[in-house]
Amino acid sequence: MFHYATLPRIVVALAAGASLGLAGAVMQSVLRNPLASPITLGVSAGAQFALALAALAGPAASFLPGEIWSLFGALAAAGLVYVLGRRQRFEPARLALTGMAISLFLASAAAALVLFNEQRLAFLFLWGAGHLAQSDWTSAILVSAAFAASFTILLGAGRVIGLLAAGDAVAGSVGLKTDTARLLILLVAVALTAAVVSRVGIIGFVGLAVPAIVRLCRPRSVTHFLAASAGLGALALFAADALAQLLSELGGTLVPAGAVTALFGAPVLFLLLSRTRLTGRPNPPLRMTAGRFRDPGRRLTAFLFAILVVAVLVALLVGRTGTGWEILDPFGDEAVFLTRLPRVLGALLAGAAVALSGLLVQKIVGNDLASPELLGISGGAAAGIVFAALVLGVLSRATLVVFGMAGAIGTTLIVLWFARRHRDQIAAVLLAGIALGIFLDSIVRIALVNAGMQAAALLTWMSGSTVLVSLPESLGLGLLLVIAFGLVVVCRRAIALLDLGAAVPRALGLKVRATQMATLVLAALLASAATMVIGPLSFVGLIAPHLARLLRARRFAERVIATLLIGAIVMTLSDWIGRVAMVPWQVPGGLVAGLAGSLGFILLAGRERAGAAGA
Amino acid sequence: MAIASISGDTTPAGSPAAGVALFDLKRAGYGVGGSRILAPIDLQIPAGGFVALIGHNGSGKSTLLSLLARQIEPSEGEIAFAGEALARLSQRDFARKVGWLPQDPPLAANLTVAELARFGRYPWRGAFMRHGAEDRRAVEGALGRVGLSHMRERAVASLSGGERQRAWLAMLLAQEPSCLLLDEPTAALDLKHQLEVLQLLRQLRDENELTIVMAIHDIGMALRFADHLVALKAGRPVFEGPPQALVRPDVLSAIYDLPIGTVQPKDGGPTVVYPL
């Protein structure tokens, strides 16, 4: 028992922790990005998704071992992030966001796979949360060997990593081929991550938090930085696993170690962040080529409204059965019409609400890359709801909404606190938001691993099924949306001033804090109400304001209206697509929107060059 | 070395409304976490004056301006504005009287010149009140004043440095304040645009009886345009007085810790200050 279970488990914990710490430190060094890590670059999610696919394919994929599939997935995801990031010159915040978008996309896709193949993929829950239980020495040997090999290579390349960390200008001027060197070194880190993920699953926090903690102690050289990160990573995961075992025994519930690292890593990271300032890059000096704005004015509103009407009609009337497409006659078949109505209405309103929430969050944080999904606000709502449903046994949806709102507002307050402390440092705010998101996700995962029967229902909800929405709920959401819209339009002058940061608006007599707080509460209310209907992963809050900007809706009032309409359109169509795409199964609308939205964001991010105008 | 004089009687007799203090600092200082950034200072800013704050990098010029602009609160002492304690004025009342431009104004990526200038009406109309004819007049007047009327629909981010600076000035003027606080308004500009902006400020002072306080690095420009100079060194005032009193090699050398010479050009042009 000791020799075949306990000892290998200890070895795996140490080796996997060291590997992830090392991989994170290397990624952060060569990309010069405090936000880089196996998680934020999409590497872990890529590996996980490939493994899920391979498991599903069964014998067809068995000609290669799982580790190789995992490596392929990790490489594909990392390669995509790298290509997109390069176009933006590896600007830290955008790179992390691209990686997170890809991660969320893959997570949505994996969730879809699980939904349809519950029996065969149920293990993904546990494994996705990072579980270290061992029954033999295979994993221990494999992970240790991968770590030893990578560590040797990377320490040997320490000087090169040091040069890359000093910046391309310096590295290039002493004759280093920066692109090739960076690529090769990242390749080692990605392969190491893939090996770890294939054996123990996703362990959220070690790769992000451990190097961050080490950096705060100001290591003297890159070699020290890498070695210390590996050492601390090993310790962290070992301690987390010991704690996880203890918790599992005490509580009688299964607590995966990966979730524990997040539970404790996030607060530690917060504490450290609150005591330091990240050195960020200054705003790029911009000079846009377009001298004048071409405002689309009313035409855009009319155009979007027309699309929305068409989308609603399609969603209400067009259906699909096993035999083919059918058009519903609303008067002839009232029963079907009346069952569809609340669902379509709910999706539409929730899409609009989360879109508006996204726009408001962007104004508060002062950056167009923020969104309720990425800042963990939707995750906060989800955690609140899951907590209420599983721990307190609350079942009424009205009570769940209250818990969701409490979760969302709590999360938002934490993120806002960071936004204020690190003014103009979106990287720090995002780091906080991402950390919070991983933290909350780990709570949800622990809950789901132990939920048993309820897990499937919760998972359906988490992926954004609109089936359960009732008409009164939709009307309530509609009322909230109307009030919020009215408030935003009336206060538009104050909210628009937030674009100018904090100092100038204050000099103009704006009560900046009060405005931020009020806007924030509104955004959190909208996000949590929408999360009840479409789940936390819809991505509409990020994509809708972005699209509104691309459509040249510039003035604040115009942009608010365009954002609302786009959110409504995207969600209505996503819900409809989810209903008809895989008849007789229904894909949750939130999941469809998440897939489409993250894909859209990835494409948009690829389009925009570094230094493109924000706001 | 000239030590800062305490009272307002060093105000040059030539400046308008001499003797009336707009800002009155009494032992006002600022520090963060035990380290003093600005030592307690007694200073009076005369109404209608054109005051230049000079000094080396990190001498406390920006801190002093931020104190005057109420962006930060003094950690000791007090500041009065037109006879009233600064902390007692409401934020919008203060914004109607004092306009402040930071050293590095935000990007304003999405705004046209006119929209930026219209922000200057916020102190008067707030978030809810409608903009009327008076506001339009103020905005148009401000744009005309800085010479950007023909560019009113241009994107602020597409302007050159000098134009952008003037667009921000238009916002400050639309505020219709009685005092402008400017943190290095010419730092990013070439010689021609520096002159343009400073001449504009001088005109505004002369014609609209604005009080202007600016931090500026270029000592030659400060001597040429300001009528009252305050020199800071390591958070302490080391000189206060008219330009004539400053243009002495010994005074300048003491301020900058650097041997400095001055030359009066034969053609009667402005004095040239140069390090030896």
Side-chain angles (χ1 to χ4, degrees):
Chain A
M1 169 72 190
F2 179 77
H3 189 73
Y4 287 105
T6 313
L7 205 55
R9 182 169 187 159
I10 292 171
V11 173
V12 164
L14 289 173
S19 301
L20 290 174
L22 179 65
V26 167
M27 289 171 181
Q28 296 186 2
S29 296
V30 299
L31 292 171
R32 306 186 70 207
N33 185 343
L35 298 176
S37 77
I39 291 275
T40 44
L41 295 186
V43 180
S44 300
Q48 184 188 26
F49 184 65
L51 276 170
L53 275 184
L56 211 56
S62 61
F63 63 93
L64 282 178
E67 290 77 28
I68 303 292
W69 289 115
S70 157
L71 180 62
F72 284 159
L75 281 178
L80 190 57
V81 175
Y82 186 87
V83 170
L84 294 173
R86 240 196 94 158
R87 302 180 60 151
Q88 300 153 9
R89 287 180 235 138
F90 300 112
E91 206 261 304
R94 282 189 186 261
L95 185 72
L97 272 174
T98 312
M100 284 307 284
I102 289 173
S103 288
L104 286 180
F105 174 77
L106 293 170
S108 305
L113 289 180
V114 174
L115 267 187
F116 296 115
N117 303 282
E118 230 172 288
Q119 299 300 319
R120 287 159 77 186
L121 293 180
F123 77 96
L124 269 181
F125 273 143
L126 186 56
W127 176 81
H131 198 53
L132 296 178
Q134 302 296 322
S135 56
D136 58 22
W137 278 90
T138 332
S139 295
I141 292 169
L142 194 120
V143 176
S144 308
F147 172 71
S150 311
F151 193 62
T152 318
I153 297 174
L154 291 171
L155 276 195
R159 199 178 302 158
V160 176
I161 298 176
L163 276 174
L164 286 172
D168 279 13
V170 178
S173 71
V174 297
L176 183 70
K177 284 187 184 141
T178 51
D179 277 334
T180 321
R182 181 166 25 232
L183 213 54
L184 287 175
I185 289 167
L186 280 177
L187 207 61
V188 176
V190 168
L192 183 58
T193 310
V196 173
V197 171
S198 72
R199 300 315 302 190
V200 297
I202 293 183
I203 291 174
F205 239 87
V206 177
L208 182 63
V210 163
I213 294 168
V214 171
R215 191 160 346 89
L216 293 178
C217 306
R218 302 183 191 288
R220 266 182 297 149
S221 71
V222 168
T223 321
H224 284 123
F225 178 46
L226 298 186
S229 296
L232 189 61
L235 273 181
L237 191 56
F238 177 70
D241 187 45
L243 200 63
Q245 291 188 53
L246 191 68
L247 285 177
S248 299
E249 269 172 37
L250 284 180
T253 52
L254 198 53
V255 182
V260 175
T261 60
L263 282 177
F264 291 90
V268 168
L269 193 63
F270 278 138
L271 205 71
L272 289 169
L273 265 179
S274 69
R275 288 160 176 271
T276 48
R277 291 185 164 271
L278 289 178
T279 47
R281 298 178 184 189
N283 286 337
L286 293 191
R287 180 153 175 178
M288 294 193 303
T289 42
R292 279 165 203 279
F293 299 111
R294 275 170 295 160
D295 291 324
R298 298 238 165 94
R299 270 174 307 149
L300 179 65
T301 311
F303 170 69
L304 289 174
F305 193 73
I307 295 184
L308 180 61
V309 170
V310 172
V312 169
L313 285 179
V314 166
L316 279 177
L317 301 181
V318 180
R320 190 174 158 200
T321 59
T323 50
W325 298 87
E326 60 166 26
I327 304 233
L328 188 76
D329 172 11
F331 304 105
D333 205 347
E334 268 184 40
V336 178
F337 184 74
L338 284 180
T339 50
R340 271 186 200 167
L341 188 62
R343 175 177 178 171
V344 171
L345 204 59
L348 183 156
L349 292 169
V354 78
L356 181 58
S357 170
L359 184 66
L360 294 178
V361 168
Q362 295 180 359
K363 290 283 171 195
I364 301 166
V365 178
N367 194 291
D368 64 326
L369 293 174
S371 88
E373 295 94 348
L374 287 176
L375 290 187
I377 297 174
S378 301
I385 290 166
V386 168
F387 173 77
L390 291 183
V391 180
L392 305 180
V394 175
L395 289 177
S396 103
R397 278 174 73 94
T399 327
L400 288 182
V401 172
V402 174
F403 274 94
M405 279 180 189
I409 290 176
T411 332
T412 323
L413 282 177
I414 296 176
V415 173
L416 186 76
W417 182 69
F418 270 91
R420 194 174 291 140
R421 211 191 135 72
H422 300 275
R423 216 167 274 152
D424 306 325
Q425 290 198 21
I426 185 64
V429 179
L430 283 172
L431 185 58
I434 291 170
L436 208 56
I438 300 176
F439 173 72
L440 294 165
D441 186 57
S442 70
I443 294 184
V444 172
R445 275 178 191 276
I446 292 179
L448 285 178
V449 166
N450 294 292
M453 293 303 287
Q454 289 160 299
L458 271 174
L459 189 68
T460 313
W461 167 75
M462 289 275 291
S463 46
S465 174
T466 44
V467 177
L468 299 170
V469 182
S470 67
L471 200 56
E473 259 175 35
S474 293
L475 294 179
L477 184 56
L479 190 66
L480 174 67
L481 192 61
V482 169
I483 294 173
F485 176 67
L487 279 174
V488 168
V489 168
V490 168
C491 302
R492 64 181 182 280
R493 226 180 279 157
I495 299 175
L497 259 182
L498 291 178
D499 272 353
L500 296 184
V504 171
R506 190 176 305 131
L508 288 172
L510 180 75
K511 292 199 173 69
V512 177
R513 275 186 174 218
T515 312
Q516 278 183 337
M517 280 312 278
T519 316
L520 177 76
V521 171
L522 198 60
L525 280 178
L526 286 168
S528 54
T531 302
M532 273 305 291
V533 178
I534 55 171
L537 284 176
S538 69
F539 240 77
V540 176
L542 180 63
I543 202 84
H546 252 282
L547 283 175
R549 191 159 66 87
L550 281 185
L551 291 173
R552 299 175 189 283
R554 181 181 62 86
R555 289 192 203 108
F556 185 58
E558 268 171 22
R559 190 176 284 186
V560 168
I561 293 170
T563 303
L564 278 171
L565 288 172
I566 292 171
I569 293 169
V570 170
M571 211 45 235
T572 310
L573 284 180
S574 296
D575 191 45
W576 177 71
I577 292 170
R579 205 177 72 210
V580 299
M582 294 179 71
V583 171
W585 289 291
Q586 299 214 341
V587 187
L591 197 59
V592 177
L595 285 170
S598 46
L599 199 63
F601 179 74
I602 293 164
L603 294 177
L604 287 183
R607 253 180 56 115
E608 276 170 32
R609 298 270 166 166
Chain B
M1 183 164 92
I3 300 301
S5 50
I6 310 282
S7 62
D9 52 27
T10 49
T11 309
S15 78
V20 183
L22 193 62
F23 279 103
D24 190 355
L25 285 76
K26 288 200 177 70
R27 311 290 303 158
Y30 184 72
V32 180
S35 72
R36 245 181 198 171
I37 296 172
L38 191 68
I41 177 174
D42 284 312
L43 183 70
Q44 292 185 321
I45 307 284
F50 194 150
V51 181
L53 304 177
I54 57 172
H56 58 87
N57 288 333
S59 60
K61 303 188 296 286
S62 288
T63 308
L64 181 53
L65 272 178
S66 299
L67 279 176
L68 297 180
R70 289 217 320 193
Q71 289 288 326
I72 50 179
E73 280 177 18
S75 42
E76 50 194 310
E78 51 190 81
I79 303 175
F81 177 79
E84 228 181 315
L86 203 54
R88 296 249 303 279
L89 285 163
S90 91
Q91 201 148 353
R92 264 170 64 191
D93 274 344
F94 185 69
R96 286 177 202 164
K97 293 178 182 123
V98 178
W100 173 73
L101 188 59
Q103 189 173 349
D104 185 13
L107 218 49
N110 261 318
L111 298 172
T112 65
V113 172
E115 284 165 344
L116 181 62
R118 212 169 295 140
F119 277 150
R121 297 310 290 168
Y122 189 86
W124 298 90
R125 292 292 170 257
F128 307 116
M129 251 188 283
R130 286 186 71 84
H131 280 194
E134 193 190 328
D135 302 286
R136 276 191 290 279
R137 241 193 333 272
V139 171
E140 287 310 315
L143 288 175
R145 206 62 234 258
V146 301
L148 285 181
S149 291
H150 61 293
M151 291 193 177
R152 56 199 315 291
E153 296 304 326
R154 284 277 299 273
V156 176
S158 75
L159 302 180
S160 71
E163 291 163 345
R164 211 179 291 185
Q165 199 69 13
R166 283 188 283 151
W168 280 98
L169 271 179
M171 184 193 88
L172 256 60
L173 294 182
Q175 256 173 281
E176 300 186 321
S178 56
C179 175
L180 296 181
L181 304 173
L182 309 165
D183 200 347
E184 300 197 17
T186 56
L189 306 183
D190 63 37
L191 209 52
K192 175 167 177 275
H193 289 106
Q194 284 187 23
L195 267 181
E196 253 176 51
V197 167
L198 288 170
Q199 273 159 357
L200 174 66
L201 291 176
R202 183 69 175 252
Q203 271 177 23
L204 288 169
R205 201 284 302 265
D206 291 345
E207 292 163 24
N208 303 26
E209 298 189 351
L210 277 169
T211 309
I212 294 175
V213 185
M214 67 172 178
I216 187 165
H217 263 301
D218 189 318
I219 185 96
M221 292 290 181
L223 287 170
R224 186 161 161 190
F225 286 97
D227 51 28
H228 193 79
L229 291 131
V230 177
L232 296 170
K233 182 175 168 185
R236 293 174 186 284
V238 288
F239 171 86
E240 192 191 344
Q244 309 83 284
L246 182 76
V247 202
R248 284 183 12 215
D250 56 327
V251 176
L252 285 167
S253 301
I255 294 173
Y256 287 99
D257 267 342
L258 192 75
I260 285 177
T262 60
V263 157
Q264 186 66 47
K266 293 203 176 68
D267 57 4
T271 314
V272 176
V273 174
Y274 60 94
L276 288 172

